């Protein structure tokens, strides 16, 4: 990892959360606000240097997990499901480190937490980006309208004529 990557991630995370708050629907707004608040709260309560899991940070991640699962249950979108999976992996990493009883290094623990954070921010960016309007050229109603105009210009359609019932039945009579 580059020495500046935590700063780049922090800036990207803040921008994605703001985009979710501004552009999103209720799912994006709730999880954007929750994730931004959780990151700020984690920075406020964590003790440095990191040597292992900290109860307050685990509790914050568990609260975000509960909120994410609540959004999954109330939403019909796919991205909250994937975001909940990343949050489950985050809480699982905390529990795995506790279960390892000091046999894992802090650097590996922090790397795993960072990777799952990237996934969570990516899902939130997906949710915020899905609320953007389509470019004018890709809007379906414009394509359908343009297609019907081109068809009408190419071959004018004749009005349908009603045939007698006996001719449509295929009995072969004139």
């Amino acid at each position: 990892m580059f020495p500046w990557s935590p700063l780049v991630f922090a800036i990207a995370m803040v921008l994605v959360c703001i985009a979710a708050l501004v552009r999103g629907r209720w799912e994006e707004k709730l999880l954007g606000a929750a994730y931004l608040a959780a990151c700020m709260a984690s920075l406020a309560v964590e003790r440095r240097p990191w040597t292992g899991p900290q109860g307050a940070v685990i509790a914050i991640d568990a609260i975000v997990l509960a909120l994410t699962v609540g959004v999954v249950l109330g939403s019909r979108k796919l991205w909250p499901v994937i975001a909940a999976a990343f949050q489950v992996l985050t809480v699982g990493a905390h529990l795995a480190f506790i279960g390892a009883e000091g046999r894992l290094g802090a650097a590996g623990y922090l790397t795993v937490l960072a990777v799952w954070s990237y996934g969570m921010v990516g899902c939130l960016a997906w949710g915020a980006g899905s609320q953007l309007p389509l470019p004018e050229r890709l809007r379906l109603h414009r394509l359908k309208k343009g297609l019907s105009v081109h068809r009408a210009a190419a071959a004018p359609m004749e009005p349908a004529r009603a045939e007698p019932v006996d001719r449509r039945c295929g009995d072969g009579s004139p």
Side-chain angles (χ1 to χ4, degrees):
M1 289 175 90
F2 297 108
W4 46 267
S5 63
L7 178 62
V8 171
F9 173 73
I11 292 170
M13 186 265 311
V14 169
L15 290 176
V16 166
C17 288
I18 290 172
L21 290 170
V22 171
R23 298 286 308 173
R25 294 204 172 121
W26 71 270
E27 298 99 334
E28 292 84 10
K29 288 182 182 191
L30 179 64
L31 288 183
Y35 199 68
L36 187 60
C39 288
M40 298 304 157
S42 293
L43 287 174
V45 299
E46 74 182 2
R47 292 182 312 263
R48 298 234 178 202
W50 270 80
T51 56
Q54 299 175 12
V57 176
I58 296 171
I60 291 168
D61 284 338
I63 291 169
V64 172
L65 174 60
L67 284 171
T68 309
V69 169
V71 168
V72 167
L73 294 176
S75 176
R76 298 184 69 167
K77 297 178 181 179
L78 175 63
W79 74 265
V81 175
I82 299 170
F86 280 118
Q87 199 60 32
V88 165
L89 291 170
T90 299
V91 173
H94 290 303
L95 298 177
F97 195 82
I98 291 170
E101 297 175 350
R103 289 177 285 180
L104 299 175
Y109 172 60
L110 291 175
T111 302
V112 167
L113 292 180
V115 168
W116 302 146
S117 295
Y118 293 145
M120 183 70 170
V121 170
C123 288
L124 197 54
W126 173 13
S130 68
Q131 302 306 317
L132 295 174
L134 286 173
E136 191 65 33
R137 291 183 179 175
L138 294 180
R139 294 198 182 153
L140 227 44
H141 71 280
R142 300 280 263 173
L143 289 175
K144 287 179 184 176
K145 182 179 174 185
L147 187 60
S148 64
V149 168
H150 291 298
R151 278 189 192 156
M157 295 182 63
E158 296 179 16
R161 286 182 262 162
E163 295 184 26
V165 174
D166 57 351
R167 293 195 69 153
R168 280 187 281 154
C169 293
D171 61 346
S173 62

